[in-house]
Amino acid sequence: MISKYVYALCLMLVFSSCAIKNVDYKRCENVRIDNLGLTPMLGMDLVYNNPNAVGCRISNTTVTIICGSDTLGLAVSNKEVKLKPYTDFTLPVETIVSLPVMLKISGQMLKSNEVSIDLKGSVTLKKFIFKRKINFSVREKLSSKDIL
């Protein structure tokens, strides 16, 4: 009789410890423009924080990069990354940007030395058999000195 209660209590403890918190977006780093020919590439590193006491995995990252009314591109990564507890981690993303949009953004950077971009997307967080899709939407200000 007592063993049933102990077993039930152990199951409740195991499942309550499996509750994972959302990863937190911190900042955007290493913004770079590659291949300035006919198909420019925009890349950046997205820095997140894992606030969980346990490690987990993150996968299926999608990010839409928007500047004003122009969509610069959609970056998708199906790469799975293992996260350690209580650490910051970086997800590199890259997308192709159309040449007219890149020229328009470059013109804005020359005028004001700064441009605002919106990052909207999602990541999938996994632990054991549990997984959760986390959506995010942030605004970053990029200055011309931030771009490599």
Side-chain angles (χ1 to χ4, degrees):
M1 180 80 164
I2 293 179
S3 65
K4 289 181 183 178
Y5 291 117
V6 171
Y7 182 70
L9 181 62
C10 288
L11 276 177
M12 288 186 341
L13 285 172
V14 166
F15 285 118
S16 67
S17 68
C18 290
I20 50 178
K21 300 175 189 172
N22 289 348
V23 293
D24 301 320
Y25 174 85
K26 290 183 83 175
R27 66 187 171 277
C28 172
E29 294 180 339
N30 301 327
V31 178
R32 57 201 171 277
I33 299 171
D34 299 321
N35 192 14
L36 286 174
L38 296 176
T39 56
M41 299 285 290
L42 177 67
M44 62 185 68
D45 297 334
L46 304 177
V47 180
Y48 291 88
N49 176 265
N50 178 16
N52 297 297
V54 294
C56 51
R57 295 171 299 175
I58 198 165
S59 63
N60 298 335
T61 305
T62 60
V63 181
T64 303
I65 305 166
I66 303 167
C67 183
S69 61
D70 298 316
T71 300
L72 296 180
L74 174 67
V76 177
S77 172
N78 293 322
K79 183 179 176 185
E80 190 170 279
V81 179
K82 291 183 181 181
L83 309 179
K84 294 181 181 178
Y86 300 119
T87 56
D88 289 348
F89 62 97
T90 303
L91 288 175
V93 294
E94 212 171 52
T95 185
I96 297 173
V97 181
S98 71
L99 190 56
V101 171
M102 184 58 78
L103 291 173
K104 183 178 177 183
I105 301 302
S106 299
Q108 289 177 357
M109 292 287 282
L110 289 174
K111 282 187 216 173
S112 66
N113 258 356
E114 190 173 77
V115 66
S116 293
I117 61 169
D118 294 312
L119 304 172
K120 296 179 181 182
S122 65
V123 294
T124 301
L125 190 62
K126 297 179 184 178
K127 181 65 178 177
F128 301 122
I129 58 172
F130 307 103
K131 70 179 181 178
R132 179 184 313 156
K133 186 175 182 180
I134 302 166
N135 295 316
F136 63 91
S137 179
V138 294
R139 177 168 282 203
E140 289 281 342
K141 289 196 181 280
L142 299 177
S143 68
S144 57
K145 64 181 178 182
D146 293 335
I147 298 176
L148 302 175

